[in-house]
């Protein structure tokens, strides 16, 4: 057999498969979200709205009957539905009469530093992007001013928030524009609002890989300087605009991740509790520590307010997973979050339509499946919210 001919045939077959798959995925995307489509957040029931605000449904009803705050939408069955904007307006109203500052608007106060949370792991399938997207949305719905940044060239975090890189980012518009070495733009130029109040987005696409390619060239010319400060310096431009920044880091320990680590005040490492994933994490942690040492030797402050491990896609009935979880909790103790992210068909099914679980209606799933997944998500994200509050010196 002629090896060159066989190689040529294989190359052609691979290229054909790639083009056919891309065409089918493109058609599927257009059927779900045409290029001119815009996502919108669903309405919340009075019970959901009350839970987000931290009040009783009866008190929320009282506010409505007294004409205080926004008027909810009334269904034919007289159920009250609140938009995310309604909930934010109610937050502002309730904060004016709160017994303690921050009861309803939990964000920064004078002297509090902006929290920059890096969500990372360099192994695919660890739930990194799912975690980052749900965390950013939950914090925004709870009243924090949040900026979500997609540093992953695969841009799944971006797609979940209604931006289609192939249509919407043909002329740039990612964080790369703000951290590139030649003619960087102001980060405000690439921030865009989302359909969720309090949540803005810096989208990502393949252009982010340019930073990985340009940094070695800039280093060889002596023009990169302290390259790992570039994300931090970009974020400093919006220091007063946000309480929390959530960064979905690339699944690799490259220059983007190193720069994000330098900017982070909190680090969340996602772990799928399987032994192969734990072995991979061991290499990830060792390489991360070595890189952080190098950055620290260059003068960077690599201290963080906190670092935690999050168990993802966890199945409580899986005995091998439970052994791994016990091993990790014994090894790292309180640095493993108490709440795990459960494996759920509700979360994966929502992702098929480029949505998070916070965006889909409860009626789209069986009640037990939805409630179990939602309880898991809220427990994880609210535990992280507590870490943020402690970093600001609050109980």
């Amino acid at each position: 057999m002629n090896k060159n001919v066989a190689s040529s045939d294989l190359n052609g077959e691979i290229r054909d498969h790639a083009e056919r798959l891309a065409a089918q995925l493109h058609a599927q995307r257009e059927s779900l979200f045409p290029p001119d489509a815009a996502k919108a957040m669903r309405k919340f029931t009075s019970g959901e709205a009350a839970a987000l605000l931290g009040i009783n449904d009866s008190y929320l009803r009282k506010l409505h009957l007294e004409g205080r705050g926004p008027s909810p939408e009334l269904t034919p069955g007289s159920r009250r539905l609140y938009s995310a904007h309604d909930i934010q307006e109610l937050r502002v109203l309730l904060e004016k009469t709160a017994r303690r500052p921050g009861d309803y608007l939990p964000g920064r106060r004078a002297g509090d530093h902006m929290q920059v949370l890096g969500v990372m792991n360099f192994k695919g399938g660890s739930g990194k992007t799912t975690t980052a997207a749900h965390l950013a949305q939950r914090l925004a719905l709870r009243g924090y001013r949040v900026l979500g940044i997609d540093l992953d060239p695969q841009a799944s975090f971006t797609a979940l928030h209604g931006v289609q890189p192939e249509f919407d980012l043909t002329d740039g518009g990612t964080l790369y524009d703000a951290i590139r070495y030649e003619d960087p733009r102001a980060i405000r130029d690439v921030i865009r609002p989302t359909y969720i109040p309090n949540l803005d987005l810096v989208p990502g696409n393949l252009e982010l890989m340019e930073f990985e390619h340009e940094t070695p060239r800039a280093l060889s010319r002596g023009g990169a300087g302290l390259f790992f400060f570039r994300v931090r310096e970009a974020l400093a431009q919006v220091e007063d605009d946000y309480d929390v920044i959530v960064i979905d880091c690339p699944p690799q320990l490259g220059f983007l991740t190193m720069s994000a680590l330098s900017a982070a005040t909190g680090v969340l490492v996602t772990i799928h509790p399987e032994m192969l994933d734990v072995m991979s994490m061991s290499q990830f942690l060792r390489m991360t520590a070595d890189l952080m040492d190098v950055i620290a030797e260059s003068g960077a402050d690599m201290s963080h307010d906190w670092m935690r491990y999050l168990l993802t896609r966890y199945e409580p009935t899986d005995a091998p997973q439970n052994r791994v979880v016990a091993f990790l909790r014994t090894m790292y103790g309180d640095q493993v979050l108490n709440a795990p992210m459960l494996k759920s068909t509700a979360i994966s099914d929502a992702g098929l339509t480029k949505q998070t679980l916070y965006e889909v209606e409860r009626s789209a799933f069986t009640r037990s499946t939805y409630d179990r997944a939602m309880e898991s998500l809220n427990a994880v994200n609210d535990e992280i919210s507590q870490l943020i509050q402690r970093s600001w010196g609050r109980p």
Side-chain angles (χ1 to χ4, degrees):
M1 182 179 68
N2 186 315
K3 186 175 181 179
N4 290 334
V5 172
S7 177
S8 176
D9 290 342
L10 180 60
N11 291 348
E13 188 173 4
I14 290 174
R15 184 173 293 105
D16 176 63
H17 288 181
E19 292 175 354
R20 286 164 55 193
L21 179 59
Q24 288 296 319
L25 290 173
H26 179 74
Q28 183 185 41
R29 281 195 295 265
E30 285 205 311
S31 67
L32 292 171
F33 294 103
D36 58 349
K39 291 185 72 176
M41 192 62 175
R42 68 178 176 88
K43 298 290 182 72
F44 295 86
T45 66
S46 59
E48 290 174 319
L52 284 168
L53 291 165
I55 61 177
N56 293 324
D57 191 10
S58 58
Y59 184 55
L60 185 58
R61 177 182 290 274
K62 179 184 177 185
L63 292 175
H64 167 56
L65 294 175
E66 293 175 351
R68 299 167 60 195
S71 297
E73 175 187 328
L74 294 177
T75 69
S78 297
R79 295 179 63 203
R80 289 167 291 131
L81 297 178
Y82 293 83
S83 71
H85 291 277
D86 292 337
I87 294 171
Q88 178 60 20
E89 190 175 332
L90 284 163
R91 281 192 185 283
V92 175
L93 173 69
L94 291 167
E95 183 69 20
K96 293 177 181 177
T97 57
R99 286 179 293 180
R100 297 173 302 180
D103 277 352
Y104 302 100
L105 291 172
R108 295 163 63 191
R109 303 174 202 165
D112 293 340
H113 59 281
M114 182 172 65
Q115 286 283 297
V116 181
L117 313 184
V119 183
M120 58 186 62
N121 197 321
F122 74 175
K123 190 175 189 303
S126 68
K128 175 179 61 64
T129 297
T130 299
T131 296
H134 284 91
L135 173 61
Q137 292 188 6
R138 175 69 173 178
L139 291 176
L141 290 170
R142 291 299 300 269
Y144 293 88
R145 299 171 301 161
V146 183
L147 175 63
I149 298 181
D150 195 346
L151 268 190
D152 188 343
Q154 298 176 73
S156 297
F157 185 94
T158 297
L160 280 171
H161 288 94
V163 178
Q164 302 181 78
E166 62 270 37
F167 295 117
D168 303 327
L169 302 175
T170 55
D171 296 320
T174 72
L175 191 67
Y176 169 71
D177 291 345
I179 62 175
R180 64 193 180 198
Y181 296 101
E182 294 184 8
D183 192 27
R185 298 169 61 185
I187 190 173
R188 284 189 175 87
D189 292 344
V190 296
I191 293 175
R192 56 178 69 199
T194 71
Y195 46 93
I196 300 174
N198 296 327
L199 178 58
D200 291 341
L201 172 70
V202 176
N205 68 3
L206 287 173
E207 183 185 53
L208 288 164
M209 288 302 299
E210 292 298 319
F211 188 74
E212 303 289 355
H213 300 151
E214 287 182 359
T215 298
R217 292 197 292 267
L219 286 170
S220 67
R221 297 193 302 267
L226 300 179
F227 72 88
F228 41 82
F229 281 155
R230 298 193 77 83
V231 170
R232 179 187 296 185
E233 290 168 352
L235 299 185
Q237 299 171 30
V238 291
E239 170 77 25
D240 297 330
D241 298 343
Y242 299 100
D243 303 314
V244 183
I245 294 179
V246 177
I247 304 179
D248 183 24
C249 295
Q252 61 190 45
L253 279 176
F255 297 112
L256 284 169
T257 300
M258 292 167 68
S259 194
L261 267 173
S262 178
T265 60
V267 176
L268 186 66
V269 181
T270 54
I271 312 173
H272 178 46
E274 299 280 0
M275 189 51 68
L276 288 177
D277 294 77
V278 172
M279 292 167 62
S280 174
M281 188 189 75
S282 172
Q283 298 300 314
F284 168 77
L285 293 175
R286 183 173 299 169
M287 293 170 63
T288 301
D290 290 343
L291 290 172
M292 290 177 71
D293 284 343
V294 172
I295 296 173
E297 289 170 3
S298 300
D301 179 8
M302 295 304 292
S303 60
H304 297 86
D305 292 335
W306 52 268
M307 174 181 173
R308 292 293 187 275
Y309 301 102
L310 169 63
L311 302 168
T312 59
R313 296 169 53 214
Y314 172 52
E315 300 179 76
T317 58
D318 187 315
Q321 280 198 14
N322 283 326
R323 286 194 290 271
V324 172
V325 170
F327 169 75
L328 290 170
R329 292 197 184 280
T330 300
M331 182 78 62
Y332 298 119
D334 291 341
Q335 285 192 292
V336 180
L337 290 181
N338 288 322
M341 185 83 76
L342 299 182
K343 183 177 181 180
S344 172
T345 56
I347 296 174
S348 55
D349 286 352
L352 290 175
T353 53
K354 295 183 182 178
Q355 293 178 295
T356 68
L357 196 62
Y358 292 130
E359 298 175 70
V360 296
E361 299 283 354
R362 186 184 190 186
S363 58
F365 308 98
T366 60
R367 177 169 295 189
S368 60
T369 299
Y370 179 90
D371 289 349
R372 178 173 174 268
M374 187 64 78
E375 182 180 351
S376 169
L377 284 171
N378 289 344
V380 168
N381 293 329
D382 292 349
E383 189 173 346
I384 295 169
S385 176
Q386 291 172 12
L387 291 171
I388 293 170
Q389 293 292 319
R390 289 176 196 159
S391 297
W392 291 333
R394 304 175 202 167

